[in-house]
Amino acid sequence: MSLRIIFMGTPEFSVPTLAALAGAGHQIVAVYTQPPRPGGRRGLDLQKSPVHQAAELLGIPILTPVNFKDEADRQTFREFDADVAVVVAYGLLLPEAILIGTRLGCYNGHASLLPRWRGAAPIQRAIMAGDHETGMMVMKMDKGLDTGPVALTKAVQIGETMTSGELHDKLMQVGATLMKEAIGKLEADDLPLTEQAEEGVVYAAKISKAETRIDFAKSAREVHDHIRGLSPFPGAWFELEIAGKPERVKVLNSERVTEEGPAGTVLDDIMTIACGEGAMRPTRLQRAGGKALGLADFLRGTPVAAGTRVG
């Protein structure tokens, strides 16, 4: 017997899990996702979420409530008579009425090794903090923020140059496989739950625009981790004077080097930039409104002389 599942997710990260559960033969009775948002080149067209588009292709009923404050929305959820709800990056806090609105509760695919990095931005925060390991966890949801008991865990190593985009793509595939396994075990009544440790709780706050600017007073290690943690989106940046005007330049990839000098100073003609400790060299950059370029191509169009101050 397959399970009757309500799937709740929104971005690309959620899509492989939806596909894995549908492919495993479970009955996805409904998909909940965020409402279409303004998008397109002029921001005038309503854009359906990646999960919305995937559910349409699968022929699954789609619901897009703004929240679950309306009792009618809660009743609709209950009327699907689902065995379980699977939640992956849905983007809404679920009230208790939804958490208990299925026979077996709600299970969340979360991109960290809980209790480290509870909250909105666990992938970026893990890299920005210089973590060497993260992972995916399947957790039974409760009223707290990522506080529920854990069912399954899969650790993933974070390479020295791995960006948040690369880690995102790896974790979304790991998460799909892990959730498929968890729901299979749940169907067989063989899914143990373990309470999270009380020690080691760290919160992954949403990335703010104010923290995307690169601070070269920090060590080269911290600058490098900051850059790759925000790559490709929203992107870490510094200001560079180009044609007499300050312009934001995003750094999408970088490398650490052993040079030393005054923080924020370009040390040579291949754009080695001194940090508070050590130095870094951007290897992929993007001017405002331009395309991302490797360092050599960037310097061909925008030469940066030794002694230039950036930041």
Side-chain angles (χ1 to χ4, degrees):
M1 293 291 291
S2 63
L3 293 181
R4 291 174 58 83
I5 297 173
I6 292 174
F7 185 84
M8 311 179 82
T10 297
E12 179 191 9
F13 188 84
S14 316
V15 173
T17 302
L18 172 60
L21 293 174
H26 297 292
Q27 185 181 359
I28 314 296
V29 296
V31 163
Y32 280 76
T33 189
Q34 290 284 298
R37 307 292 190 198
R41 293 188 63 182
R42 298 184 179 181
L44 300 177
D45 301 325
L46 289 178
Q47 303 288 311
K48 297 174 181 177
S49 76
V51 165
H52 192 136
Q53 296 174 53
E56 284 185 331
L57 293 175
L58 292 169
I60 302 169
I62 301 160
L63 294 94
T64 59
V66 174
N67 52 50
F68 287 97
K69 293 180 180 179
D70 193 323
E71 178 55 32
D73 289 326
R74 300 182 183 201
Q75 182 62 26
T76 298
F77 185 92
R78 290 191 291 265
E79 287 176 353
F80 282 111
D81 192 28
D83 294 308
V84 64
V86 171
V87 184
V88 181
Y90 179 36
L92 282 182
L93 289 175
L94 300 181
E96 187 174 13
I98 299 301
L99 296 176
I100 63 172
T102 63
R103 182 171 65 88
L104 299 171
C106 296
Y107 284 80
N108 176 233
H110 184 75
S112 81
L113 298 178
L114 294 166
R116 185 168 177 82
W117 302 127
R118 292 174 176 170
I123 295 175
Q124 294 95 327
R125 294 295 178 190
I127 293 179
M128 291 168 73
D131 291 359
H132 298 295
E133 183 181 63
T134 187
M136 285 296 303
M137 282 186 157
V138 174
M139 166 194 68
K140 186 171 185 181
M141 298 175 71
D142 61 16
K143 291 186 291 183
L145 178 63
D146 299 327
T147 56
V150 172
L152 293 179
T153 301
K154 178 68 175 179
V156 170
Q157 298 303 304
I158 302 176
E160 289 288 316
T161 61
M162 182 177 276
T163 65
S164 65
E166 292 165 343
L167 183 57
H168 166 283
D169 291 352
K170 185 172 184 64
L171 287 174
M172 75 177 181
Q173 298 300 335
V174 170
T177 301
L178 198 67
M179 185 62 78
K180 177 182 173 181
E181 179 184 352
I183 296 303
K185 286 180 175 290
L186 185 65
E187 181 183 6
D189 195 24
D190 184 32
L191 186 64
L193 295 172
T194 304
E195 296 296 328
Q196 293 185 35
E198 295 182 4
E199 300 79 28
V201 175
V202 183
Y203 287 95
K206 185 178 179 181
I207 304 296
S208 70
K209 290 182 180 180
E211 61 184 316
T212 56
R213 185 171 189 155
I214 299 170
D215 181 1
F216 289 104
K218 294 183 176 181
S219 70
R221 158 61 72 185
E222 291 173 296
V223 171
H224 176 65
D225 291 344
H226 182 247
I227 289 167
R228 62 197 185 96
L230 297 178
S231 177
F233 182 83
W237 59 275
F238 61 79
E239 270 191 355
L240 176 67
E241 190 171 294
I242 301 175
K245 295 181 180 179
E247 184 177 315
R248 287 190 181 190
V249 177
K250 284 186 180 181
V251 183
L252 300 174
N253 297 95
S254 63
E255 61 185 3
R256 294 186 296 145
V257 294
T258 56
E259 305 293 331
E260 296 284 348
T265 302
V266 177
L267 301 176
D268 52 30
D269 60 0
I270 54 172
M271 213 171 177
T272 301
I273 303 172
C275 301
E277 179 184 328
M280 58 75 67
R281 185 178 298 125
T283 57
R284 191 160 162 262
L285 307 96
Q286 184 176 20
R287 289 180 60 178
K291 64 180 181 178
L293 298 172
L295 177 61
D297 288 335
F298 179 86
L299 290 175
R300 212 170 280 124
T302 311
V304 180
T308 300
R309 295 281 297 174
V310 301

